[in-house]
DNA sequence: TCTTTTTCGGACCATTTAATCAAGAAATGA
DNA sequence: TCATTTCTTGATTAAATGGTCCGAAAAAGA
């Protein structure tokens, strides 16, 4: 019994990504936050806890969502190169989409807080190592399948590079509104896999 | 006549880079800032103006310093590949040095402010296009010198990629304290120039 | 000595901050 | 009907915010 929630908590979480992504964690005042979420102040505290709690929830939700997509693609049977290409094309597409683009920028705000919020630091560390390992395993499989030559040598380094490149694309997007630049970066990034 | 300044304004500017780099622009309270700079409040306002003025000065000073190094190397006669390799090795070295590393993180704080401080947005836009052009001209020269094959094709894309990679290394450094990871990323990044 | 400049520190300002408490209205299902 | 939950709003709190003003001490050169 009791009254139902009038807002979808994950929809509001996405809005939080946008707001925090635009203003940064410290740059987002409670007023700005509430205006962006479209809910009343008390609803925020009742549903998510403090401003920091909401921020952490938004960061985790965003990261998990993105990581899941990557992990799924990497586990997909068949060409590993094709899977990795898809992953990067998908990121570029998200960053070129007016609506989805805004959510991505919470990553930047989150990285700001790494030195100050232990929970976020620990979360990112775990996520990064999980993804690095997934990339590595996929690359090993690619090698076994004959998709990579000995030229690529250090697959561990290649895995780290790919995971880092994935993260860094949002930074590039924040610095330039030009879609072509993003495409250029992705293209050259993927050329690291060429034979 | 009159009393001399007791502090070196550029030394204090470097300290400002560290403080802003660590806490972010909004995350840096005036108190934190003054403690970090080691000067009195009034001295700050007399010398640099407001907190925002100081931030902008620090960002510009840092960026100009780094860009100058890059432009100088790219103009150096001889192997372009060697020059670019040097540029990235130098960045990695800075990010691995306990002291210099801290200053670099002001870049991250600066990018946060791009959507909110027009002066910073304009400054970065100019700086980026200048460097992209320098990379491009250098790559053209490299091609003419026989350092690059037709495989590399789109030199404009390659230039954008290199400039972006340069920026993004600080992000990688912020996410991991592991020097080896940085080296791995640089190694693979530079492999884009391999024949 | 005298004037100028800088340093330093405290006092002070209005504003904003995140967060809590309270209370009534609206909705929900037993 | 009744208990429960959420929504909305306003009041309030205590602390922190960036910035200004003032005055005295300390240099430095004329």
């Amino acid at each position: 019994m009791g009254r139902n929630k009038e807002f979808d908590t994950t929809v509001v979480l996405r809005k939080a990504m946008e707001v925090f992504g635009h203003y940064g964690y410290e740059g987002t005042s409670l007023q700005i936050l509430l205006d962006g979420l479209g809910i009343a102040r008390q609803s925020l505290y009742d549903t998510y806890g403090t401003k920091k709690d909401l921020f952490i929830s938004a960061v985790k939700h965003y990261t998990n969502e993105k990581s899941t997509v990557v992990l799924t693609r990497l586990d997909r049977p068949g060409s590993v190169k094709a899977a990795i290409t898809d992953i990067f094309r998908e990121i570029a597409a998200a960053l070129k989409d007016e609506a989805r683009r805004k959510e991505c920028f919470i990553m930047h705000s989150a990285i700001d807080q790494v030195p100050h919020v232990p929970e976020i630091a620990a979360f990112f560390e775990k996520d990064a190592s999980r993804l690095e390992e997934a990339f590595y395993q996929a690359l090993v499989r690619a090698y076994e399948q004959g998709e990579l030559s000995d030229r690529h040598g250090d697959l561990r380094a290649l895995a780290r590079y790919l995971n880092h490149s994935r993260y860094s694309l949002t930074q590039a997007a924040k610095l330039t509104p030009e879609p072509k630049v993003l495409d250029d970066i992705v293209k050259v990034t993927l050329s690291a896999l060429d034979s």
Side-chain angles (χ1 to χ4, degrees), chain A:
Chain A
M1 68 172 69
R3 183 173 175 173
N4 291 339
K5 267 215 180 328
E6 288 199 349
F7 56 90
D8 183 329
T9 55
T10 73
V11 167
V12 172
L13 219 47
R14 312 192 89 83
K15 291 184 183 172
M17 294 173 195
E18 292 188 17
V19 178
F20 282 128
H22 186 67
Y23 295 98
Y25 173 68
E26 337 253 9
T28 302
S29 73
L30 213 45
Q31 199 49 56
I32 290 177
L33 186 55
L34 294 172
D35 291 346
L37 300 183
I39 62 174
R41 177 167 41 234
Q42 203 58 26
S43 298
L44 188 160
Y45 283 95
D46 288 344
T47 310
Y48 303 99
T50 67
K51 174 187 166 186
K52 182 185 274 189
D53 292 333
L54 171 57
F55 179 71
I56 294 176
S57 295
V59 169
K60 287 187 175 178
H61 191 262
Y62 173 83
T63 306
N64 283 331
E65 212 169 48
K66 296 293 182 181
S67 293
T68 299
V69 173
V70 173
L71 293 172
T72 302
R73 300 255 169 133
L74 290 180
D75 274 346
R76 198 175 57 184
S79 168
V80 174
K81 276 193 190 179
I84 294 176
T85 301
D86 279 359
I87 288 171
F88 277 84
R89 295 241 185 284
E90 152 62 20
I91 297 174
L95 290 172
K96 279 188 271 184
D97 181 72
E98 179 65 31
R100 284 196 291 164
R101 168 188 174 85
K102 292 178 184 170
E103 294 177 4
C104 301
F105 294 145
I106 196 180
M107 265 315 281
H108 214 263
S109 311
I111 293 175
D112 283 339
Q113 299 304 315
V114 164
H116 309 106
V117 184
E119 191 174 347
I120 290 188
F123 178 79
F124 275 174
E125 201 177 311
K126 211 184 87 184
D127 185 72
S129 73
R130 190 172 51 141
L131 286 184
E132 180 191 308
E133 194 57 26
F135 271 115
Y136 178 71
Q137 296 298 342
L139 290 173
V140 168
R141 183 163 65 87
Y143 179 78
E144 292 168 351
Q145 293 175 176
E147 289 190 275
L148 297 178
S149 70
D150 286 329
R151 180 182 91 79
H152 303 95
D154 192 346
L155 297 186
R156 174 61 60 182
L158 195 49
R160 285 172 173 165
Y161 165 82
L162 289 173
N163 196 35
H164 158 70
S165 299
R166 204 175 63 85
Y167 276 133
S168 72
L169 279 181
T170 44
Q171 193 179 42
K174 195 151 192 174
L175 279 171
T176 171
E178 190 63 58
K180 183 68 170 64
V181 175
L182 233 48
D183 287 334
D184 283 345
I185 293 173
V186 169
K187 183 171 71 177
V188 181
T189 299
L190 291 175
S191 77
L193 300 175
D194 289 350
S195 302

